[in-house]
Every structure is written in structure tokens, then in C-alpha cells.
């Protein structure tokens, strides 16, 4: 038979292709499996590039993002964990593990000559059934503000307990809940700023109402301003050279040079005058400010801050209610920012500028302290997860219990469905319930408990009417999740369930993998 593809292209058909995609996906799931649950371990990722940067993390999405993977099926799993991270922020590990388990079950079914489409149809029915089972058991305390806040605290603590912050989870849960409650229901986390300062311990982290700019106040300028009017700008304040490229000025005497210089100084002075005419007492610029304009500002009693990085300046404009200006000819059209007090504060060794009493009450800054940069990076990732989940929960206030409880509820409902369904689909549905049960099993395994025994106990508990049983990792037994206050957001669970099923479905549909030949360079 003539070969269809070019020399280096490879194709794998049927069984081998399915085998390759199953194995790749299951291997990825096994890789992040150990980070699941409160007793999950962390991974060190070391890049081979310059600087050999090291990341220590427990966040599924971060681990998978940093891996360079060749297996096409494994890439699908990496993608779903990324999407899960963007959409709800948490559950990035669960989604990969669940998809991996679904494929592991599917592999056994395919081995017994059940067609992949049948398996997919079964999985579809099972996922729908599992989702309905959860919907029947959700709690919604939106009406009662006190209870709702308690729910948020529980969710934050549950999210944080599998991360590095688990020792001080109450402290950080409180920080996260306070920060999110201030957003008043928007899911835009832009206005929560996280500043990392090495030094101190994680427990010294705090939430600051207001805005902190990571800059120092210039020399000879007021260190403290009350009732500040702030102009946020992005403009060049460094003109004392001719700014036209390739421009040459020929002069016939030294005094002419002096004239040019004074002309430029005048130009600068005019610009500063225009800025001062806005009636401001604080000027924040994204670009640098030379010492001549800085002097002029200091004389006018205006605080001038240069080089405020772009994130900082956009957020500052957002927070103080101003706009970023770049021309200053008509002061009436420029919106100024306002705040009650600007002062310099010290955190650790560094001086920062603190804006308090800002117009947009939604803004706040979380200052993280920690032993080293690695700890801080990981703390920021964990906190970001918690903030995402909370901001989603504020919108969709449905709450479930955690600790393997939702999986058992879903598995039980799916089992019921499997018994009612005729035909080969029922095998796939049963497999789906086994895959769901794998999650509590893994949580127990990671904690070094006897998972088979615990999961059997759990199952027995769940066969009684409406039980709240889940795995209590701390005491190593089956516990009441409602009493232990372990809760999760419904939105996270739903996203995990649906993304994992869809990803598994997509990988199951594969029956051929074609790798194309690399392009040859000319003259090879």
C-alpha cells in the first residue's frame, strides 16, 4: 500500500490511538492526584531556563500550566483545568482527577467491547442525573445575611484548607470574605490588590481599607495630605532635550545654547503650571518626572509620584474615581480622583504610600507577609483561589457540603439510574458512579487512611435518608460535614462535573492520532 503521509508523519489507528490517549490522560490525572484534599502534598516545579526559577505549588492549574506535554489527550486535560481556574478559580485538581477516573473506567468498558458512543451516551445521562441530585440537596441562605456570611467563611476555609494557608485558614478566610463582601456582588477582582512583602510570618498579613501604592514619596514633598485631589496621568515629564529624533541644532555661540535651554525650561514650567491649575495636591505619573518639574511641584506643595507601574495606576484611577489624563489643556474635562488622606506607611523595611478614605468603597488591599518569595507566591495563588470562589458564590449563593459528600450523593443517584436503565448504557452509568467515588477515595488515600473501609462506611451512611456524612480527614473517620463546617460552592462542583464529563467524552471519541511531519527548512 502506498503511504499516504510524508516521511516523518506518524499515524496511530483504532486501539493504539485510544490506548495512547487513555494512558496520557490517566497519567496526568495521577500526577495531580496527590495534591487533592486537605492532606494533599505540594509539587516543586523547576524551570530549565535561565535563573532556574523554582515554584512550589499545590494548585492543579499551576502545575499543569507549567508542564510541556506531548500527548494530545493530556493537553485536553490541561485545558479543562485552565478553564476551571479562569471560570471559578478552584477545583482545578478535582476536574482533572475526575476526567482521568472517567477515562480509566471507560478503558475497562472498551476492553469488554462496548462501543465508545454507548459509553458517552451513558456518561451524558449520568452527568445530568448527578447534577439534578446535587440541585435537590443545595442550601441557599441568600436571604439571611448572617448565615450567608457564615457560609462564605466556611467555603473560604474549605478552599484554603488544602493549600499552604491551612494553618491560619481562619485568619485568611476572614480576609478573603471581607474583601469579597466589599465588592458588593461584582466578580471583578481588579479592585482587590494583593501586595507581597517578604518578612514576618503569614499570620502578619492584613487587609487594608484603601489603596497602597508600592512607591516612595519624593524628596522635599509633603509626607501627608488630607482631602487629596489626585490627578492620575500618563505623560512625559522629562523634557530638557530636543525630542525630535535626528534633529540637529547648530548654534554660533555658547549663549544661544543657554537660550535653547531656557526655552525648554519655560516649556516644562508651562506644563507644570497647567497641571497645577487643576487645583490638585497630588500628581501621580506613570512615566518619570525629572528633578526640575519635581522641584516646581514641591514648591507648589503638590505630592508628585513618578513611575507608578501600570497596574498600580489603572487601579488607582479606578479606586479614587479619577481618569488617566495625558493632556492638560482644559482642566474642566479631566476627572480628578479624591481621597481623604495620603500618607507614607512602613511595611517591613519598605515605605509605601497609603491612600485611605477612597471614593470607591469596594477597593481594598491585602498585604501578604511571609518567610520567602516562594511562600508568598503560593500564598497569593491560594488566596486568589479563595477570592474567586467567594466572588462566584456571592452571585450564585447555592452551597453544598464538602469532604466527599457531594460525590457520594451524586454516586448514589447515578447508581439508582443505572439500575433502572436497560441495555449496555447501564454499564457506563455504573462506571460513572465508580469514577465519582474515586474522589473521596483519593482524599482518604492522600491522608494515609484506609480508603476502602472509609468509602464503604460512607456509602452505608448515605443509604440512610438525607445524611451529611463525609470524610473527616483530621480524625480519620466518617464525620458529619454540617457540624464540621466543611462547605463548597455549588458552582465549583457543577463546573467540575460538567467539564470533566465533556473532556472525557472528547477523548473517548478519538480513534486516530495523526502527527504531521515537521516542515523541512530549505537546503536541508
Amino acid at each position: 500500500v502506498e503511504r499516504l503521509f510524508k516521511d516523518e508523519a506518524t499515524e496511530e489507528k483504532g486501539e493504539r490511538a485510544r490506548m495512547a490517549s487513555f494512558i496520557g490522560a490517566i497519567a496526568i490525572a495521577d500526577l495531580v492526584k496527590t495534591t487533592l484534599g486537605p492532606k494533599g502534598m505540594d509539587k516543586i516545579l523547576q524551570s530549565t531556563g535561565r535563573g532556574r526559577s523554582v515554584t512550589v505549588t499545590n494548585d492543579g492549574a499551576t502545575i499543569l500550566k507549567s508542564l510541556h506535554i506531548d500527548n494530545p489527550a493530556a493537553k485536553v486535560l490541561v485545558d479543562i483545568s485552565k478553564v476551571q481556574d479562569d471560570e471559578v478559580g478552584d477545583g482545578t485538581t478535582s476536574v482533572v482527577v475526575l476526567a482521568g477516573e472517567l477515562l480509566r473506567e471507560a478503558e475497562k468498558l472498551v476492553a469488554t467491547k462496548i462501543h465508545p458512543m454507548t459509553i458517552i451516551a451513558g456518561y451524558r445521562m449520568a452527568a445530568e442525573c448527578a447534577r439534578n441530585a446535587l440541585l435537590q440537596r443545595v442550601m441557599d441562605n441568600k436571604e439571611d445575611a448572617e448565615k450567608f456570611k457564615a457560609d462564605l467563611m466556611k467555603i473560604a476555609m474549605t478552599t484554603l484548607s488544602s493549600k499552604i494557608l491551612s494553618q491560619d485558614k481562619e485568619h485568611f478566610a476572614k480576609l478573603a470574605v471581607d474583601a469579597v463582601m466589599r465588592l458588593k456582588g461584582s466578580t471583578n477582582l481588579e479592585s482587590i490588590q494583593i501586595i507581597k512583602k517578604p518578612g514576618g510570618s503569614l499570620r502578619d498579613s492584613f487587609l487594608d481599607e484603601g489603596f497602597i501604592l508600592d512607591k516612595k514619596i519624593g524628596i522635599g514633598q509633603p509626607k501627608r495630605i488630607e482631602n487629596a485631589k489626585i490627578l492620575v496621568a500618563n505623560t512625559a515629564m522629562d523634557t530638557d532635550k530636543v525630542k525630535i529624533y535626528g534633529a540637529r541644532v547648530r548654534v554660533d555661540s555658547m549663549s544661544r545654547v543657554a537660550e535653547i535651554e531656557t526655552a525648554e525650561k519655560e516649556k516644562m514650567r508651562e506644563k507644570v503650571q497647567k497641571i497645577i491649575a487643576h487645583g490638585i495636591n497630588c500628581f501621580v505619573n506613570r512615566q518619570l518626572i525629572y528633578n526640575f518639574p519635581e522641584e516646581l511641584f514641591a514648591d507648589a506643595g503638590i505630592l508628585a509620584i513618578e513611575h507608578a507601574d501600570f497596574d498600580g495606576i489603572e487601579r488607582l484611577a479606578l479606586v479614587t474615581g479619577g481618569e488617566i489624563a495625558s493632556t492638560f489643556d482644559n482642566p474642566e474635562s479631566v476627572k480628578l480622583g479624591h481621597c481623604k488622606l495620603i500618607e507614607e506607611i512602613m511595611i517591613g523595611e519598605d515605605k509605601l504610600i497609603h491612600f485611605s478614605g477612597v471614593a470607591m468603597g469596594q477597593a481594598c488591599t491585602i498585604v501578604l507577609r511571609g518567610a520567602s518569595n516562594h511562600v508568598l507566591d503560593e500564598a497569593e495563588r491560594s488566596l486568589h483561589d479563595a477570592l474567586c470562589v467567594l466572588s462566584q458564590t456571592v452571585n450564585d449563593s447555592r452551597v453544598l457540603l464538602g469532604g466527599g459528600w457531594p460525590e457520594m450523593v451524586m454516586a448514589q443517584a447515578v447508581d439508582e439510574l443505572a439500575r433502572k436503565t436497560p441495555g449496555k448504557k447501564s454499564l457506563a452509568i455504573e462506571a460513572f458512579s465508580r469514577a465519582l467515588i474515586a474522589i473521596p477515595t483519593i482524599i482518604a488515600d492522600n491522608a494515609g487512611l484506609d480508603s476502602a473501609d472509609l468509602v464503604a462506611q460512607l456509602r452505608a451512611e448515605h443509604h440512610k435518608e438525607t445524611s451529611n456524612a463525609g470524610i473527616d480527614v483530621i480524625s480519620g473517620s466518617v464525620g458529619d460535614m454540617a457540624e464540621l463546617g466543611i462547605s463548597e460552592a455549588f458552582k465549583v462542583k457543577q463546573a467540575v462535573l460538567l467539564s470533566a464529563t465533556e473532556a472525557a467524552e472528547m477523548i473517548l471519541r478519538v480513534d486516530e492520532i495523526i502527527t504531521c511531519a515537521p516542515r523541512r527548512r530549505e537546503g536541508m
Side-chain angles (χ1 to χ4, degrees):
V1 183
E2 283 298 305
R3 284 236 304 292
L4 189 60
F5 300 111
K6 275 193 171 169
D7 276 350
E8 306 212 340
T10 56
E11 63 167 331
E12 291 177 354
K13 279 205 172 78
E15 283 303 292
R16 293 203 43 196
R18 194 164 291 130
M19 199 64 189
S21 49
F22 280 164
I23 288 174
I26 292 172
I28 286 286
D30 286 347
L31 176 84
V32 291
K33 202 179 190 173
T34 51
T35 65
L36 196 68
K39 293 270 169 92
M41 303 306 258
D42 290 12
K43 312 263 183 235
I44 289 186
L45 310 169
Q46 185 174 22
S47 75
T48 49
R50 283 210 312 266
R52 300 241 158 199
S53 61
V54 171
T55 320
V56 182
T57 180
N58 163 315
D59 181 35
T62 313
I63 297 171
L64 294 180
K65 238 187 325 211
S66 324
L67 300 177
H68 289 283
I69 295 169
D70 196 25
N71 185 310
K75 284 200 173 122
V76 175
L77 290 194
V78 175
D79 272 1
I80 56 169
S81 92
K82 263 198 200 130
V83 169
Q84 180 81 8
D85 196 30
D86 296 342
E87 195 173 328
V88 282
D90 195 24
T92 47
T93 315
S94 320
V95 76
V96 177
V97 172
L98 184 56
E101 290 299 329
L102 285 172
L103 289 169
R104 195 185 306 250
E105 293 294 335
E107 188 181 17
K108 295 175 197 161
L109 292 177
V110 171
T112 56
K113 298 280 182 285
I114 292 179
H115 193 279
M117 286 302 157
T118 315
I119 302 177
I120 288 174
Y123 276 6
R124 272 279 163 93
M125 290 167 67
E128 194 49 46
C129 164
R131 186 165 167 266
N132 293 336
L134 283 188
L135 278 171
Q136 283 164 10
R137 305 287 296 269
V138 291
M139 298 171 287
D140 193 341
N141 290 333
K142 195 162 204 163
E143 318 312 308
D144 185 347
E146 279 301 303
K147 266 190 179 168
F148 185 47
K149 195 165 181 193
D151 274 352
L152 286 181
M153 276 298 283
K154 284 179 195 165
I155 289 177
M157 272 157 64
T158 308
T159 301
L160 292 173
S161 62
S162 61
K163 310 265 192 276
I164 191 172
L165 303 175
S166 59
Q167 302 312 312
D168 310 315
K169 62 183 177 192
E170 295 205 350
H171 181 67
F172 282 101
K174 205 163 162 19
L175 287 189
V177 172
D178 285 351
V180 171
M181 291 301 256
R182 302 179 67 111
L183 290 180
K184 301 187 182 63
S186 79
T187 49
N188 181 14
L189 298 177
E190 288 286 304
S191 42
I192 299 178
Q193 182 197 19
I194 298 181
I195 288 184
K196 300 178 289 194
K197 286 282 169 222
S201 72
L202 281 170
R203 191 155 280 182
D204 300 339
S205 310
F206 60 91
L207 177 94
D208 202 296
E209 323 217 331
F211 185 81
I212 297 181
L213 240 193
D214 200 346
K215 291 280 162 271
K216 294 186 180 58
I217 291 182
I219 299 156
Q221 293 175 351
K223 288 270 187 271
R224 177 190 167 97
I225 294 180
E226 289 179 11
N227 290 336
K229 293 192 184 64
I230 309 163
L231 176 62
V232 187
N234 180 9
T235 177
M237 300 295 282
D238 52 357
T239 31
D240 47 4
K241 308 180 208 46
V242 176
K243 270 288 181 75
I244 308 159
Y245 289 110
R248 280 212 179 110
V249 184
R250 286 219 173 127
V251 288
D252 44 15
S253 73
M254 217 35 220
S255 59
R256 287 291 165 83
V257 178
E259 274 173 34
I260 292 175
E261 279 181 357
T262 35
E264 287 196 327
K265 258 192 170 165
E266 277 311 306
K267 202 171 143 200
M268 191 71 240
R269 182 173 276 134
E270 254 176 53
K271 189 169 189 179
V272 173
Q273 234 68 57
K274 268 184 200 162
I275 291 173
I276 295 175
H278 287 63
I280 55 170
N281 47 15
C282 172
F283 175 70
V284 184
N285 192 14
R286 211 194 132 222
Q287 303 176 23
L288 82 176
I289 303 177
Y290 266 10
N291 42 13
F292 176 63
E294 197 168 26
E295 264 173 47
L296 296 177
F297 281 130
D299 290 347
I302 290 178
L303 166 63
I305 304 166
E306 60 175 3
H307 272 314
D309 53 348
F310 206 73
D311 280 351
I313 189 174
E314 283 210 320
R315 213 181 262 129
L316 180 64
L318 183 83
V319 166
T320 53
E323 282 171 0
I324 300 180
S326 42
T327 53
F328 309 104
D329 292 331
N330 35 357
E332 58 282 348
S333 69
V334 174
K335 271 176 77 177
L336 298 182
H338 295 283
C339 81
K340 291 202 178 99
L341 177 66
I342 300 181
E343 57 185 341
E344 196 172 51
I345 54 170
M346 293 275 294
I347 297 179
E349 303 285 285
D350 300 350
K351 291 185 176 159
L352 305 131
I353 306 171
H354 181 224
F355 298 78
S356 54
V358 286
M360 179 171 145
Q362 308 185 356
C364 56
T365 303
I366 295 177
V367 180
L368 288 180
R369 310 297 311 278
S372 73
N373 281 328
H374 297 147
V375 175
L376 285 174
D377 290 344
E378 177 60 1
E380 182 189 23
R381 272 192 294 272
S382 316
L383 198 61
H384 183 259
D385 275 9
L387 291 173
C388 286
V389 175
L390 289 176
S391 66
Q392 294 289 347
T393 314
V394 169
N395 280 353
D396 180 349
S397 59
R398 289 173 290 183
V399 179
L400 296 164
L401 298 173
W405 178 86
E407 282 78 14
M408 292 310 288
V409 169
M410 293 192 278
Q412 195 187 348
V414 172
D415 260 346
E416 290 284 307
L417 177 70
R419 292 205 188 92
K420 290 181 212 151
T421 311
K424 286 186 175 176
K425 279 186 203 160
S426 62
L427 293 170
I429 298 175
E430 222 169 290
F432 194 93
S433 107
R434 283 200 297 275
L436 284 170
I437 291 181
I439 289 192
T441 314
I442 292 166
I443 293 178
D445 279 340
N446 285 346
L449 306 170
D450 179 356
S451 59
D453 181 35
L454 272 175
V455 172
Q457 277 182 3
L458 252 187
R459 204 194 232 144
E461 282 289 321
H462 273 271
H463 268 284
K464 300 175 189 158
E465 282 298 298
T466 58
S467 97
N468 292 338
I471 292 181
D472 177 7
V473 182
I474 312 303
S475 71
S477 59
V478 172
D480 184 333
M481 293 294 121
E483 280 172 29
L484 293 167
I486 299 177
S487 314
E488 294 189 58
F490 169 71
K491 199 158 181 186
V492 175
K493 276 290 167 228
Q494 174 179 308
V496 166
L497 180 72
L498 300 181
S499 324
T501 315
E502 280 171 15
E505 215 175 278
M506 193 168 155
I507 294 172
L508 266 175
R509 283 172 184 267
V510 174
D511 77 329
E512 186 165 0
I513 299 175
I514 302 173
T515 325
C516 66
R519 281 211 189 129
R520 286 293 171 89
R521 296 234 172 82
E522 292 302 313
M524 284 282 272

